[in-house]
């Protein structure tokens, strides 16, 4: 095969210089003229530029010699059928010898494995080189392939062709695959760590239906600091928490884990929301003063139909009424946790039956191209039309705000529904209360009231007797150690019976050991022994509430 009839140009190379003197640089022309004649400057050095040996010109080299010595795989085909004209030694070593003047589709199956035949058609038609990277052949090796159009000299009657130049990049491809696998493994580990710091299963209170969604941000292996939690406080009350430690990485996740654990511990004290954040503020400064964290803490009381909340630099809670109207809990909002020197306060927002509350982190609504208030407004519009179960609402909000796997920030969403119950379901939820004026008749009145109410709720006789005993002991304890006004409240849900007594004294009771000769001091011990659980808390207006619960038989 006469290769002088073909002119191939690999990407990044220059065309061969013309034989006639057309160099645009005069100095270059003069130097080459001296080299050809062997002349130099008068009296010049024999070893000077004019006497140095010159290399062979490109046209004096054999194309077949050059291509055969290349370590890359080279094949030359011609015509629309890509008939094989030439393959070099490296190509033969990789795929075996190939017959000449046979279509590549028949004799070169490796080109089909690399999906190169359509590309070669395109190169032949357009006359433009094309390159594909890291194509894997059936042998398992990976190649980066450049297909370059080859044009024949005019008047020779030959068809155009394609020069296939393939470099073996198996090592690079395997290294890149190992890197991708390592990054994927690290990210999976990071996400697993993040999720392990979040609740594995949300508590489901009697009066609320709750769902949460967490979406890690980006594709890197850095963990985030978003968290949420649901904590049952007893007596039907529920604490809802959402927070965000700014930044990403192990440090942010570690701070988040410590804050979440601390919130659960403080919540067990049954303190008002602003007092919980006050304690958390001091702890955050001790953990890491350089980490900024926001948090919203809210408590739902089914007897009042309110959400009492406090916020440390966090975005406002949104509440959707049954008719679709969305309310924003604007105030009060204090600075982020760890700043110190700020007195947090609590606010309230109604959460009546049929309403839905949404707590979220800034990743849901914050965009670089718009103000965060616009993002919150978008969330309000999405929430106004979001119906269904809490998990369905979570998913719809994520879709409405275009949260995908490629989203660059962590997102946590907590959806809380206070369902409106009717029919047979509503019959499982009842409330009854009695104001006690004090005096020796208060305890008998309380026992008689509890007997009548529990009987009307059709509880088993044994549970009625235990409930009346617990109500009598709590009222007697309040009469002895508390101050008016006093109130006995009974509440039943589909899972438990709750008995609560409130009075005007803020000293919380505690269990103590009564001596054999003591006439008092056994009330709380009796309640603890017969009830499923008990507890006490200070009420916002001053005073205290002491409660106990009985789990209902299923």
């Amino acid at each position: 095969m006469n290769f002088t009839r073909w002119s191939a140009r690999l990407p990044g190379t220059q065309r061969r210089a013309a034989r006639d003197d057309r160099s645009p640089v005069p100095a270059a022309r003069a130097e080459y003229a001296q080299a050809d004649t062997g002349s130099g400057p008068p009296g010049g050095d024999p070893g000077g530029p004019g006497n140095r040996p010159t290399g062979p010109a490109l046209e004096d080299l054999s194309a077949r010699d050059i291509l055969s010595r290349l370590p890359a795989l080279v094949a030359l085909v011609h015509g629309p059928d890509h008939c094989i004209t030439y393959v070099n030694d490296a190509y033969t070593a990789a795929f075996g010898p190939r017959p000449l003047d046979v279509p590549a589709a028949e004799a070169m199956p490796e080109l089909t494995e690399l999906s190169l035949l359509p590309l070669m058609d395109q190169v032949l038609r357009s006359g433009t080189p094309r390159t594909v990277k890291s194509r894997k052949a059936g042998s398992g090796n990976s190649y980066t392939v450049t297909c370059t159009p080859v044009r024949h000299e005019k008047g020779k009657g030959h068809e155009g062709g394609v020069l296939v130049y393939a470099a073996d990049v198996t090592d690079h491809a395997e290294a890149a695959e190992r890197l991708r696998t390592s990054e994927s493994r690290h990210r999976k580990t990071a996400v697993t760590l993040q999720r392990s710091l979040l609740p594995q299963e949300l508590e489901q209170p009697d009066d609320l239906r709750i769902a949460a969604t967490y979406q890690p941000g980006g594709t890197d292996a850095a963990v985030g600091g978003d968290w949420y939690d649901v904590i049952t406080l007893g007596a039907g009350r529920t604490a809802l928490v959402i927070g965000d430690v700014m930044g990403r990485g192990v440090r942010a996740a570690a701070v988040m884990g410590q804050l979440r654990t601390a919130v659960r511990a403080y919540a067990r004290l049954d303190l008002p929301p602003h007092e919980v954040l006050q304690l958390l503020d001091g702890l955050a400064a001790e953990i890491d003063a350089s980490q900024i964290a926001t948090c919203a803490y809210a408590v739902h009381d089914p007897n009042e139909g309110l959400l009492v909340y406090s916020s440390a630099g966090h975005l406002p809670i949104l509440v959707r009424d049954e008719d679709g109207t969305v309310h924003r809990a604007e105030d009060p909002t204090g600075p982020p946790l760890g700043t110190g020197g700020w007195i947090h306060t609590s606010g309230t927002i109604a959460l009546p039956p049929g309403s839905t509350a949404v707590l979220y982190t800034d990743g849901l609504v914050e965009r670089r191209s718009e103000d965060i208030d616009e993002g919150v407004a978008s969330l309000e519009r999405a929430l106004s039309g979001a119906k269904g179960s809490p998990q369905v609402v979570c998913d719809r909000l994520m879709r409405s705000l275009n949260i995908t796997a490629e989203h660059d920030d962590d997102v946590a969403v907590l959806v809380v529904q206070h369902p409106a119950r009717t029919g047979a379901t509503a019959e499982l939820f009842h409330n009854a209360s009695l104001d006690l004026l004090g005096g020796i008749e208060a305890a008998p009145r309380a026992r008689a009231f509890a007997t009548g109410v529990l009987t009307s709720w059709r509880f088993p006789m044994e549970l009625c007797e235990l409930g009346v005993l617990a109500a009598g002991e709590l009222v007697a304890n309040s009469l002895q150690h508390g101050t008016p006004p006093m109130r006995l409240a009974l509440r039943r849900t589909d899972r438990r019976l709750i008995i609560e007594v409130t009075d005007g004294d803020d000293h919380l009771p505690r269990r103590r050991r009564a001596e054999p000769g003591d006439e008092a001091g056994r009330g709380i011990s009796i309640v603890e022994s017969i009830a499923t659980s008990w507890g006490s808390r200070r009420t916002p207006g001053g005073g205290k509430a002491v409660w106990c619960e009985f789990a209902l038989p299923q």
Side-chain angles (χ1 to χ4, degrees), residues 302-317:
N303 295 317
E304 300 176 358
L306 294 175
L307 206 59
V308 184
Y309 67 91
S310 186
S311 174
H314 205 78
L315 293 167
I317 300 172

Side-chain angles (χ1 to χ4, degrees), residues 188-517:
K188 183 177 180 180
T189 301
V191 172
T192 301
L193 169 63
Q194 171 77 5
R195 294 189 184 279
S196 69
L197 296 173
L198 297 174
Q200 302 304 301
E201 184 176 352
L202 288 177
E203 298 182 30
Q204 294 293 337
D206 299 357
D207 296 270
L208 301 175
R209 297 294 176 265
I210 302 176
T213 296
Y214 170 74
Q215 172 71 53
T219 57
D220 57 5
V223 293
D226 293 21
W227 93 91
Y228 55 84
D229 211 345
V230 177
I231 310 164
T232 54
L233 303 177
R237 302 166 72 250
T238 306
L240 310 168
V241 192
I242 193 141
D244 184 4
V245 178
M246 302 304 172
R248 296 174 64 80
V250 176
R251 181 180 293 274
V255 173
M256 179 269 283
Q258 294 178 79
L259 291 179
R260 176 177 172 256
T261 302
V263 168
R264 293 193 69 88
Y266 294 148
R268 298 304 180 191
L269 301 176
D270 213 340
L271 300 172
H274 65 275
E275 292 189 22
V276 172
L277 289 191
Q278 206 72 46
L279 293 172
L280 204 61
D281 181 56
L283 179 65
E286 295 178 7
I287 293 175
D288 191 341
S290 64
Q291 287 283 356
I292 299 176
T294 65
C295 181
Y297 181 90
V299 175
H300 174 255
D301 191 333
N303 295 317
E304 300 176 358
L306 294 175
L307 206 59
V308 184
Y309 67 91
S310 186
S311 174
H314 205 78
L315 293 167
I317 300 172
L318 302 181
V319 175
R320 177 190 182 276
D321 290 340
E322 197 168 11
D323 61 0
T325 304
V326 177
H327 306 277
R328 184 185 299 191
E330 294 285 1
D331 295 318
T333 300
L337 299 174
T339 56
W342 182 267
I343 303 299
H344 292 274
T345 55
S346 295
T348 60
I349 186 170
L351 190 68
S355 60
T356 301
V358 177
L359 294 80
Y360 52 96
T361 57
D362 58 359
L364 182 65
V365 297
E366 189 174 28
R367 303 291 183 274
R368 291 187 177 91
S369 59
E370 63 183 23
D371 188 81
I372 194 169
D373 287 335
E374 297 179 12
V376 176
S378 298
L379 177 60
E380 289 179 335
R381 291 190 294 271
L383 179 60
S384 65
K387 297 180 180 179
S389 67
Q391 189 59 58
V392 170
V393 173
C394 273
D395 297 339
R396 289 182 175 177
L397 295 181
M398 297 283 280
R399 287 196 302 270
S400 298
L401 277 84
N402 299 318
I403 304 300
T404 63
E406 290 75 29
H407 191 62
D408 60 356
D409 194 7
D410 291 10
V411 176
V413 182
L414 185 65
V415 174
V416 181
Q417 286 185 348
H418 186 187
R421 296 180 174 87
T422 58
T425 305
E427 290 300 316
L428 301 177
F429 291 80
H430 291 288
N431 290 280
S433 61
L434 174 67
D435 291 324
L436 301 171
L437 302 178
I440 59 174
E441 75 281 358
R445 279 192 64 202
R447 287 192 291 270
F449 175 77
T451 301
V453 169
L454 298 182
T455 302
S456 69
W457 289 348
R458 300 178 181 178
F459 283 142
M461 182 60 66
E462 181 182 359
L463 181 58
C464 287
E465 293 175 352
L466 293 176
V468 171
L469 176 59
E473 293 297 335
L474 292 181
V475 169
N477 187 78
S478 181
L479 289 171
Q480 183 171 358
H481 302 287
T483 59
M486 288 178 284
R487 183 182 180 88
L488 169 64
L490 304 177
R491 175 174 173 77
R492 74 153 295 171
T493 69
D494 58 344
R495 306 178 199 173
R496 71 198 76 227
L497 165 66
I498 303 168
I499 302 172
E500 186 175 68
V501 175
T502 59
D503 63 54
D505 186 83
D506 62 358
H507 290 86
L508 300 180
R510 66 182 187 276
R511 181 186 175 190
R512 65 184 181 88
R513 180 185 296 275
E515 298 298 331

Side-chain angles (χ1 to χ4, degrees), residues 63-79:
R64 180 183 295 273
D65 230 15
I66 295 173
L67 296 179
S68 65
R69 294 175 182 272
L70 287 177
L73 283 61
V74 178
L76 186 63
V77 299
H78 72 278

Side-chain angles (χ1 to χ4, degrees), residues 6 77-80 82 124 149-152 158-162:
W6 301 76
V77 299
H78 72 278
H82 306 299
L124 192 62
V150 179
R151 291 173 291 275
H152 63 80
H158 293 285
E159 297 177 300
V162 177

